[in-house]
Amino acid sequence: MDSIALVARDAGVGEKAITDSRSYQIEMLQESLRHNIIVAMDTGSGKTHIAALRIGAELERCGSDKLIWFLCPNVSLAEQQYRVLSNHFRSVQCRLLVGSDGVERWSEQQVWDAVLNGISVVVSTHQILLDALVHGFIRMARLALLVFDEAHHCKGNHSANRIMGEFYRRAHEVDGEVPHILGLTASPVTNQKAGRLQDIEQNLNAISKTPKIHRSELAKYVHQPQMDILTYPRMSTEMQYPPILRQLASLYAESDLQNDPYIIRLRASSCEGDSHKLLKALRTRKTYCQEHVKSLLSTAVGVQEELGDWACEYYISACLKQFRDRRLPGSFGFESLDEDERSYLLRTFDQLAEYIAEDLGVPHTSRLSLKVCRLIHCLQAESSTSFAGLVFVKTRASVKILSCLLSAHPDTQRKFSIGTFVGTSNFQKRKSNIGELHNLNDQKDTLDDLRYGRKNLIITTAVLEEGIDVSACNVVICFEKPPNLKAFIQRRGRARSSRSKYIIMFEEETEKNAVESWQQLEEDMRRMYMDDMRQLAELEEKEAGEEGYRSFSVSSTGHQLISSRATISLQDAVSHLYHWCSTLPKTQYSDLRPIFSIEVDETREMFRSNVILPKCVDKTVRETLGNTWWRSERLSKQDVAFEAYLALYKAGLVNEHLLPLLAYDEAMLNAYADIEKRPSLATVKEQFSPWFAVANAWRSESSCYGQTIRICANGSDLVTLNMISPFILPQMRKLSLFSDMATNVEIYFDKGEAVSHDRSMASDDITRLLLYAIYRSRMDNCRSGFPIQFQPLLSIKDQPSWVKSNSGFRSAVTLRADSPTGLQAGIIRDLLTGGTPYVFQGIEHRQIQETQVTSEGDLESETSLRVVKISKRADFPHAIPRDQESYVSKTKVISCLSPSTCTVDNLPFTYAHAAMYIPSIMHHIEVALITEHLCNSLLSPVQFLDKHLVTIAITAPVAREVDNYQSLEFLGDSCLKLYTSINIMAKHLNWHEGYLSHRKDHIVSNGRLALAAQQTGLDQYIITKSFTGHKWRPVYNDDLVESQPASTRELSTKTLADVVEALLGAAFLDGGYPKVLTCLAIFLPEVSWQSLEECRDILEKAANPGKNFYFPSHFTHLEVLIGYKFTNKSLLLEALTHASHFGSDAIPSYQRLEFIGDSILDIIVTTRVYHHTSTSNPSRMHLLRTALVNANFLAFACMKNTLVLPRSELLVQDHEAAKLPATRETTIHRSLWHFMRHSHDYELVAAQTRCQSRFDKLEPAISNVLANSSSYPWTLLVTLAADKFFSDLVESVIGAIYIDSGGSFPACEAFLTKFGILPYLDRALDEDLHVKHPKEELGIVAGNDKVRYEVENIIEDGEGVDKGYRCKVFIAEREISVVGGAASRIEAETKAAEQAIKLSRENVAIKDSVTVNKKRKISVTQDEDSVTEREDGFVEVTAGESDTKRVLGDEDVMMTDSTAKCTIG
């Protein structure tokens, strides 16, 4: 579905308020889950991330009717936090409420209900929530969590404190249903009065907490800056104001109040109240116009005193110009003034026109204040290439003017790229002021510019002191002394880069007490810091003195000597636990380290620790609580690590040597070690020959069996023979042979029956007669005793006479014109050529020439035999190769032979023709006997019904049979993968995906399967010998009576493995999954195989979430998106839980479900491809499966399919007349990945945002290709470059559906159909779409020429800007194409290959006429391509709008002295 563009106040790209989860942040989260806390940590330590984690945890346990409210002290901070939270909580709807939304006019409950409908998280200032509580629109009982950002504001009469005091405490006292509280602050104490911290804690009903166990990690992210004092000379008392300021002061003092429009309106009014207003206005001089002039004058004086003459003149001139411009029609601002007032002020300010300078020029030092000069000097001293700084000033005007001044000053303009940032107020009644120069739109990107280095100095007011995320700076300057301790701490926190400076400017000769108070403050803070370090040192000394020893040894590893056993103790438990976690499967954006937290018994001064392992670890061992209280934190941490590791050992996740379970047991380790070392070729038994058993049966059996075979040519019966054997032959399928270009022969085999032994004695002679007619040069006519014998349909008594009458030959002169021809005649043999055989076609009489007369003088006629030579072709089971078609057709030419030099066999050609196919029939019987022997021995437990499937499964491609194992191997590979994945997952319920994948890879490896083929004796049944008619020789029983010699052959281990998988595929087709299970037990007996149903039951039972499971309310829509309703909803939650997720629930990460979902997707796609009528090519089968399970394709399906939810967007209102909020009903689209539960790691969220951006650009093109194109969009999908978790989600949901549905493949297929995966597969199959990867296709296009890819990462010179990857493609070492600007190596290679294919297939890629002047400069007359002649003599053509190059060789260019014409071939 198409995405909706309208999403108001959507999360901005580049918000980096939430970073990777750090251990101390998890520690604070755990504290917050226990009770209400105030997180007190320095600026830059990641408090917002803690809030996000806490909100995520609350969303998963609160009802759908609950709200989470995030409170901020100002609008700017609220806007930033909204962007951050809405970017991280995409599965729920967030709402920002600010004054500009007209909240003060929402006077009806239904308005609030409509605005908050479907909303889970609200971000606002304190006042908005307070007003909603005051008027009863929001009740405390509806709030699940209250987050107070900058919690130190909760004091006195602040709205934050009123929320807690007037509503929270009242609700707590009445019904006890109140929200959880989380406070965030960097400075809980805002002045030096004692007891202030306790006041804040009491007001918020929370305890102030800082990290304890992970303080050292916190120190890595918090850097105390060096504090410097910068003094400047006292301002002169005899300051001379610039003329424009003096004139402005004069205008204000001497203004004619009687002509003020406001006074005039009051005088004209007859209202009694207006007369009082008139008297007051005349007495106080307070009119709208006078207040504007007074404000401008007051601000200008401040600018003059702080910044100097240049700044003052600049400020007044800029304000007046702005007022003049805004007076134009359509301009915005000054709504509080009517037209008369604007005209009055314009006339007033026109009197300053002569003082307004259009260009003040460069701000010279003489026209700047001494304070500004010191600031400039300081900035010069601190400037560097890595400079990033803030300058805090008092007023908004100073921000604007100081930024302009520094940008124009010669000492700073080239060293600093300067931005500004001031506070915003979206309160709707706020009006513009003449002295306001800021355009808030100009500062939208200021913080991002600082973060990414586009700006390096920001001039700001106190708005950036707290809350708003600002990139770490190395210089922070206070242009004025901070007003209080809070400001001092908050500003200092902005200087959090390593080796940063915090500079405060003081006026010289100020009161000594003021300076000393700051110095004392600095000293006090330094002392507090040193005290903390001293306490830490004392604690470490205490820990060193405390002894604690526990150990555990594994008796099986050291016999009687305890000292030699594998042992773990307290001292090494922590390192062991970290090492074990480091071996967990690596997942991007997840932290694999264990997380420790500490519980403190304040009374006894004792500690107990808790440790939580990553989400991918089984829930039974994921969390461990220490059993013992210790005197130090270190020992408590060691103790719980010891307990956790011991639990891992008892759970079988650590081996006997107390090491990670990378090998499962010694026997299996040794077996797999041997497998891994196996060469690519293996020496195996020679192909099984069934003829020894046949020969022995002739000697031992007294009876024999006959079987009728019917030979047909082009649908017509040719001859019917009896086939005699010593036992009943297996039922055989029709044998199709290729006689010649026009004749297809089919041989049908009927069921056998017992016959007289006498018949077999006569049939032996007949068989020799038949074979001798065709293969006389290959056999001894005196020998007999054939394993399989052939005879016509004759009675026993007629056989001797038939043999006698059809044996031997006669002279061809006996033939007459009425003699039988074709199949009824005997074979004509030309004695002059050694007996070359021909088929008789008739007699031809030719007159002898006149010169040839008899003695009687009569003309004589010559008789000739018309014959067709019998083809030497004997390889009938194989189609005639194209290179032999012309040769075979020549054998049909009629020739003439002299009867006197020829003989004719007495055996009709009908039987000789049948004898031609006996070698092929014997080979067919041999294969059937091999199959029968295999099915009756090794595969007897399977009880195959269709044994032809077994024949195909054991036939290697090298045998050149019509069918070989490749297609069945394609099917069996997926069956093996499915059974292995589900069985080991059901058997090892506590194994993480890393262990499961490791075990599965060993089981399904070619080495293990090859070993299975050898161990079971399957290797001797693999058919590799290709039937070759020319090499065929008859086999005699006398040569087969001895036992079969023990000979060997070499086969590739892949062939051995492929046959095992092909047999699994055959078993699946013959009897479904039960027969696959039986087959697996034969070849891989070391695995305790269970049926899919048994495994599913085990997995379903293991997925029981327990009594305390709660399904998050915001996940209810997800089942609609998926198209499946879960019975066990914990499976759905597990399928959406990323490994980075941290939560108190027992839901594991999705990796195990993704593990089996991958195999289920594989089998669904595989069976669909296999059973489609149009697909028989194994190579194409693999291509289709690869395309459909491709990670980028699955990721596209994950992002493409969306759930449409309604949303009301608040619109900005400009008119006070509106009584209700203006809304726009729209929709939001939520994809599967929006519901993924994760740690809110910044990099992960940024990856989601980047991929969504790429998806938005590529989706129309990809969708169009998938719907209409005849090719698979490899290049577009690789450009999407989706992170792995997108495709993982699809596979994990498949796994969850499979378990929850009772192992229903149709339920999984329904999901895949809903997500468009199977519909595209059906189209690819029905329409025979092209799915070959460009790199593979280029290899085919290149033929025997070598294809080489040369990839490099391009960094732009000088700037260090990464320009992506560039790939050059060479065929036979000739450069064909160049593609640049790719985001990855694989993207560059894929695009370059695609371009090379296009160019290589074009006979003429460029037909433009190219002109080359005498300077050898080439220009193209059409299109916008550039052409350059290279030094090596080649001509290089580069497309105008891409980085694609095409190269012409010397042979393509025809040069003359002045011009050339060239094309690309």
Side-chain angles (χ1 to χ4, degrees), residues 261-324:
Y262 181 68
I263 300 297
I264 294 174
R265 280 200 303 272
L266 292 178
R267 286 188 185 280
S269 174
S270 59
C271 178
E272 183 178 351
D274 285 346
S275 62
H276 293 292
K277 292 180 182 179
L278 176 61
L279 294 175
K280 182 179 179 180
L282 291 172
R283 183 177 69 254
T284 61
R285 298 181 60 85
K286 286 187 176 180
T287 69
Y288 296 120
C289 294
Q290 298 304 316
E291 286 298 304
H292 273 289
V293 177
K294 180 181 177 181
S295 174
L296 176 62
L297 175 61
S298 176
T299 304
V301 170
V303 170
Q304 162 68 27
E305 294 175 350
E306 285 288 304
L307 307 180
D309 293 355
W310 187 94
C312 180
E313 291 186 28
Y314 182 93
Y315 173 71
I316 297 174
S317 298
C319 291
L320 297 184
K321 290 177 183 177
Q322 176 181 266
F323 178 71
R324 180 182 57 201

Side-chain angles (χ1 to χ4, degrees), residues 73-92:
N74 56 63
V75 172
S76 296
L77 182 55
E79 289 176 337
Q80 176 186 282
Q81 299 294 36
Y82 169 77
R83 289 194 297 269
V84 171
L85 295 177
S86 60
N87 215 17
H88 285 71
F89 296 104
R90 297 176 185 267
S91 62
V92 299

Side-chain angles (χ1 to χ4, degrees), residues 66 136 572 637 734 787 803 809 882 1085 1124 1144 1218 1397 1422:
K66 295 286 187 177
D572 52 19
K637 182 178 178 181
K734 174 186 70 176
V803 172
F809 58 89
R882 290 187 176 274
Y1124 176 82
S1144 57
I1397 293 168
Q1422 293 182 357

